[in-house]
Amino acid sequence: MDTVKRPDKRAERSRRTREKVIQAARELFVAQGYGATSLQEVADRAGVAVQTVYFVFGNKRTLFKDVVDTSIAGDTEPVAVMDREWFRAACAEPTAAGQLRAHVRGTSEILGRVAPLMPMIASAGATDPQIAAQWPDGPDPRYVVQHAAAQALAGKPGARPDVSVAMAADLLFCLLSPQLYLLFVQDRGWSQDRWEEWAYATLTAQLCTDAAAGPSQEGPGPEVGPGRGRRGRGCTIARGALSSL
């Protein structure tokens, strides 16, 4: 019996150590940038030996990728977006409006986790060009996800019959993009809830026959002050890093 339990305990310790290191790295990367953060600092914050960080991740580039990937996923489980419970549940909604509501909510949660990483992603790409190689070229996985959502939407009660799957996929891909999210939430100071309501209302107006009410009327966002700038732009590896959104 003991020989069965011990591997489970070791696996659980390894999982917890991995999560601690990733969380420590995320905090440091966001606070001081990729280039300025050493693996020794990550190890110190995580409360582990630096040799443990090297053993688990190999190098800082791999750790960086895991930080971004787990921020997108919400955990360290190697489960693709289309296999996630929230995505499956959204696609299983019986009406077009219900699917869009669940899909926008799930995407909003992902974007909320990823948004603080955008300046770090931009600086990392500038500091270490090899980081871009961490994400392989090919069809954009984010579009693949949105196309699958569009296919699930087609033919449901409330879905516009004159909108093709390709058009629906394009609308989902563009309106739920990290770039547009950052323009509203970071540049214009919208709350995440306000953005979510706007995205849902806009998509239902485009994709549903009985469009929901328009976006929230809470008024314009705050003016952009001297220190706000246009964060989130010019990210050289944003497409790859955020491709699974």
Side-chain angles (χ1 to χ4, degrees), residues 41-60:
E41 289 176 300
V42 172
D44 291 344
R45 175 163 294 204
V48 301
V50 70
Q51 291 85 355
T52 300
V53 179
Y54 281 107
F55 177 78
V56 175
F57 297 95
N59 54 53
K60 191 162 74 166

Side-chain angles (χ1 to χ4, degrees), residues 16-101:
R16 289 180 179 177
T17 297
R18 186 179 188 87
E19 289 178 348
K20 284 196 303 182
V21 172
I22 289 174
Q23 180 60 33
R26 175 187 166 91
E27 293 169 359
L28 288 168
F29 287 157
V30 170
Q32 58 191 37
Y34 172 81
T37 300
S38 70
L39 291 184
Q40 182 64 62
E41 289 176 300
V42 172
D44 291 344
R45 175 163 294 204
V48 301
V50 70
Q51 291 85 355
T52 300
V53 179
Y54 281 107
F55 177 78
V56 175
F57 297 95
N59 54 53
K60 191 162 74 166
R61 294 188 193 100
T62 302
L63 175 57
F64 169 84
K65 183 177 187 299
D66 277 16
V67 167
V68 177
D69 287 348
T70 55
S71 295
I72 293 171
D75 56 48
T76 58
E77 297 299 318
V79 180
V81 170
M82 288 192 294
D83 294 325
R84 293 268 165 181
E85 179 59 32
W86 76 265
F87 184 83
R88 290 179 176 272
C91 290
E93 285 285 337
T95 66
Q99 180 184 336
L100 286 174
R101 170 64 77 183

Side-chain angles (χ1 to χ4, degrees), residues 119-202:
M120 180 268 290
I121 292 172
S123 64
T127 303
D128 188 347
Q130 294 185 48
I131 280 183
Q134 297 277 359
W135 288 273
D137 293 329
D140 192 329
R142 192 170 71 81
Y143 179 80
V144 173
V145 169
Q146 302 299 358
H147 190 271
Q151 286 181 311
L153 189 75
K156 285 186 176 179
R160 282 181 54 179
D162 59 329
V163 177
S164 67
V165 169
M167 175 62 77
D170 284 350
L171 289 168
L172 291 169
F173 180 76
C174 295
L175 289 174
L176 300 180
S177 69
Q179 294 86 353
L180 192 58
Y181 174 89
L182 288 169
L183 282 174
F184 281 109
V185 175
Q186 287 196 344
D187 285 31
R188 299 308 308 153
W190 282 27
S191 69
Q192 188 164 340
D193 286 344
R194 185 183 180 190
W195 174 87
E196 185 177 323
E197 287 302 318
W198 172 84
Y200 172 68
T202 303

